[in-house]
Amino acid sequence: MKTRDWPIITGLWLLALVPSIAGSVRVAQLTGGVERTAANARFVDMPAPVLVHIVGAVLYAFLGALQFAPNFRRTHRRWHRVTGRVLVGCGLAVALSGLWMTTFYDLPGTDNAATNAARYVVGTFMLAAIILGLRAIRRRDFHAHRAWMMRAYAVAMAAGTQVFTSLPLIPLDVHDPDYAAWRSVALIGAWVLNLAVAEAIIRRSAPRRGRARSLEPDPRPAVS
């Protein structure tokens, strides 16, 4: 693996680390038996969706980081293709389970309607991005494929960014009437920030029009 791939991979893995650890603890609790409380009742009563969501998200985060390392991708094309199929399944599982939980789990007191609405938008967007990415690779539009998959990955990785955007909430009382509103700002801000970074990278790596035209076949008949 080339040296310049490591900052990309390491940065994405570090971003995924905290939510992955928290998710792993949740999986251990649900599979090993945990006392039912008001805070975890929705997970204990219906554990399957959150288990699918956590396992899918951890695989999506750590394997997905390798897909965006350019040198690793070029030198391990078979890995990229095979892992890509696995990641599509993981991504769809993450988005669908997230939408399911948003719809059927009881809304915790620390969330509000704006947060729930944002989850519907993000989950639907992630589904659409993965599907559009698949359609793009079928027509061999590699830039569009990479762009849509990067957008899907960006919103999924917001779980890591939300750890940082939620730091200002630590001094606040969770029972404060305004806490849910501030938490909504922190969560939505992370999704917006990740998408903004992804769009900047996509635009910077877009093929130039002149270069794209030069790669197109000349429609004029050859002169014999």
Side-chain angles (χ1 to χ4, degrees):
M1 189 181 297
K2 297 293 181 67
T3 304
R4 62 180 179 176
D5 279 345
W6 279 113
I8 298 171
I9 296 169
T10 305
L12 293 174
W13 280 353
L14 288 175
L15 189 63
L17 188 60
V18 173
S20 296
I21 292 173
S24 299
V25 171
R26 176 77 69 186
V27 170
Q29 290 173 340
L30 292 174
T31 56
V34 64
E35 182 182 354
R36 187 181 186 276
T37 65
N40 67 16
R42 63 192 187 280
F43 303 131
V44 173
D45 293 343
M46 290 182 286
V50 71
L51 290 175
V52 169
H53 191 77
I54 292 170
V55 173
V58 171
L59 290 172
Y60 193 70
F62 284 95
L63 289 178
L66 298 172
Q67 301 293 83
F68 297 106
N71 292 301
F72 183 85
R73 185 176 63 243
R74 280 193 293 267
T75 56
H76 298 83
R77 294 184 183 275
R78 179 172 173 77
W79 165 273
H80 181 77
R81 289 193 297 270
V82 173
T83 306
R85 294 184 178 94
V86 174
L87 288 171
V88 165
C90 290
L92 293 175
V94 170
L96 289 170
S97 60
L99 289 169
W100 195 98
M101 290 188 292
T102 302
T103 303
F104 295 106
Y105 276 175
D106 292 333
L107 188 68
T110 54
D111 287 349
N112 59 14
T115 302
N116 247 25
R119 289 187 176 120
Y120 279 119
V121 171
V122 168
T124 303
F125 176 84
M126 186 174 173
L127 280 176
I130 292 171
I131 292 169
L132 289 169
L134 286 173
R135 291 183 61 185
I137 199 61
R138 287 182 180 277
R139 64 175 184 270
R140 301 189 68 77
D141 186 342
F142 299 108
H143 176 70
H145 168 72
R146 187 162 54 251
W148 283 114
M149 290 307 186
M150 189 175 292
R151 292 176 182 120
Y153 188 77
V155 295
M157 291 293 286
T161 308
Q162 286 164 353
V163 173
F164 298 98
T165 57
S166 296
L167 289 177
L169 305 183
I170 292 176
L172 302 182
D173 183 356
V174 295
H175 302 294
D176 189 301
D178 295 329
Y179 183 86
W182 285 114
R183 174 173 157 80
S184 184
V185 171
L187 299 185
I188 293 172
W191 282 313
V192 172
L193 176 61
N194 276 24
L195 271 177
V197 172
E199 287 300 325
I201 295 171
I202 290 166
R203 288 177 179 275
R204 190 177 64 183
S205 62
R208 296 178 182 177
R209 291 183 179 180
R211 182 172 178 268
R213 282 197 298 268
S214 69
L215 296 176
E216 294 175 357
D218 192 338
R220 295 172 298 179
V223 177
S224 56

